[in-house]
Amino acid sequence: MNKKSTEKIVTVAVLLCLTLTSLILTACDGGKTEMEQDMSVDLKSDVGLYFWGDEGGNAVRYSENIGAELFDKNKPTIIFFHGWMPDEDKNTANINYAFATTPASQKKGVGYTDYAARLRDKGYNVGAMYWAKHAQSLTDLFEYIWIDFKGQKHSLACIFAKEYAKCFGGYSGEMTFMGHSFGAQASTATAYMLYKMKEKGLVSAETSLPSRITVADPYIGDLAISDKSLLNKNVDNIEESIGGRIPAALTADVIEYLSNKGVVSDIYCGMPIAYDQFSENDTVKRNAIIDKLHKNSVWTVLEGLQSAYGKVGDIHNLTLDWVALSLFVVKEGDDGERYPTAGLDTASMKELIGKEYKSTYKGLDLEEEMLEEVE
């Protein structure tokens, strides 16, 4: 064999080794892939973006010819993300979905309020990323949101992000995401997907992305995940392995990323099992997660509601009502200091990032509510 033939064989062998090494490293790194370029949306699916119209009206599925009475590009927008919906009838063709006072609060004597109607009167477009008919299995929700939605091509976060890009292409208005329970993960994951898509040029540079994420009682614990192998999967459509991160750690990293993009997160907590019970056997990890969450958001614990209604059960939905009602309230101290409510403007809320608060009032009359900074 001549020298040139030997060199050629050696070169091929080296290239094969490098290819195999690359494949092995890729597999070890969670199988990273390039972000998909296809931004098409299935508007026939019941999963996706809905808008509320007149008071008492059902939510209307987004379409390409949606009217200005439902979505006016000149108005600011709030999009609500629900969480676990065990009582939703998945077998009916009807979608009876409201953004209004929860039954838990009504049982406690809280008067009915149609939050969507009040927000529309205030000058907002009001929408929801809906998937309630598919949200009955608590142990599947983490996988649906971040990894894979019921064996479909993409996760909920990716499905929602693509529909957002289609509906709000060129929209320059103020955008707020609001999430409850597992909706905290759905809203942050969708915002994360959108900002990653924008980095890749898949979302128009002229399109406003959420600048505010308001969260009511975030479920970020890992007690609802029965299959821990999910934590070694990839975040769908993003070149990133979950890498063993429990939901609280993943959520904390995403909130930090979004904070660095200028997104303001204000978080209101009621039921400790939802927001506070994770990594209890690993103090170092737990403290690191809590520190990152608190450093990159405005964090409020509703201690007044906890003392009045307990720390499990109804308080989870009462927290949602506290936050929804706070959309219409701004709290100021005697010295002009502003306190965190969902109604506080985003610029003012941004000044509170990294601070922690507690509420002390034992009800939902926010005019009487007392908020205190935790030093």
Side-chain angles (χ1 to χ4, degrees), residues 332-374:
E332 292 188 3
D334 294 336
D335 57 357
E337 181 181 2
R338 290 190 155 193
Y339 293 91
T341 64
L344 183 62
D345 66 278
T346 300
S348 297
M349 187 67 78
K350 191 169 189 176
E351 306 240 339
L352 305 182
I353 292 288
K355 293 186 176 183
E356 300 172 40
Y357 295 83
K358 64 179 180 180
S359 76
T360 57
Y361 186 70
K362 297 181 180 182
L364 294 175
D365 183 351
L366 269 73
E367 295 300 330
E368 300 294 326
E369 179 65 85
M370 301 294 292
L371 288 157
E372 301 175 11
E373 185 175 353
V374 179

Side-chain angles (χ1 to χ4, degrees), residues 48-239:
L49 177 60
Y50 288 73
F51 285 97
W52 278 285
D54 295 333
E55 183 173 2
N58 288 331
V60 177
R61 183 74 168 89
Y62 163 70
S63 66
E64 292 178 336
N65 60 351
I66 193 164
E69 72 279 4
L70 292 171
F71 170 51
D72 185 336
K73 289 192 174 185
N74 297 310
K75 294 180 178 180
T77 303
I78 291 180
I79 298 179
F80 179 69
F81 291 73
H82 66 77
W84 182 37
M85 301 287 280
D87 299 324
E88 190 77 8
D89 186 354
K90 62 183 177 181
N91 297 312
T92 178
N94 297 325
I95 295 174
N96 231 349
Y97 189 57
F99 182 33
T101 310
T102 66
S105 293
Q106 292 180 60
K107 288 177 184 177
K108 302 298 181 183
V110 178
Y112 182 83
T113 300
D114 187 330
Y115 304 129
R118 282 194 67 182
L119 284 167
R120 282 174 53 80
D121 288 344
K122 198 176 177 180
Y124 283 86
N125 303 305
V126 189
M129 289 297 186
Y130 171 91
W131 53 293
K133 287 169 62 176
H134 309 273
Q136 286 81 37
S137 176
L138 184 62
T139 56
D140 289 329
L141 303 192
F142 174 80
E143 180 178 13
Y144 287 176
I145 290 167
W146 295 95
I147 302 164
D148 175 73
F149 176 55
K150 301 184 76 169
Q152 296 190 27
K153 188 176 181 182
H154 285 298
S155 65
L156 279 170
C158 188
I159 292 169
F160 289 159
K162 287 185 176 184
E163 187 150 338
Y164 181 101
K166 188 172 187 66
C167 174
F168 295 100
Y171 174 69
S172 59
E174 181 182 1
M175 175 63 67
T176 297
F177 282 0
M178 181 176 174
H180 173 235
S181 190
F182 256 106
Q185 292 191 50
S187 56
T188 55
T190 301
Y192 188 45
M193 184 73 67
L194 281 165
Y195 274 90
K196 289 291 187 178
M197 286 176 168
K198 198 163 187 176
E199 286 178 1
K200 296 287 186 179
L202 298 175
V203 176
S204 166
E206 291 76 36
T207 301
S208 291
L209 298 188
S211 57
R212 174 87 169 266
I213 302 178
T214 295
V215 173
D217 218 9
Y219 187 84
I220 56 174
D222 52 344
L223 297 177
I225 300 178
S226 57
D227 183 2
K228 302 301 184 187
S229 69
L230 292 172
L231 303 182
N232 295 315
K233 300 282 189 178
N234 278 358
V235 175
D236 176 44
N237 205 36
I238 294 177
E239 298 178 50

Side-chain angles (χ1 to χ4, degrees), residues 73 114 305 321 323 325 364:
K73 289 192 174 185
D114 187 330
L305 284 186
D321 283 302
V323 176
L325 288 167
L364 294 175

Side-chain angles (χ1 to χ4, degrees), residues 243-254:
R245 287 174 292 176
I246 61 173
L250 178 59
T251 302
D253 285 345
V254 169

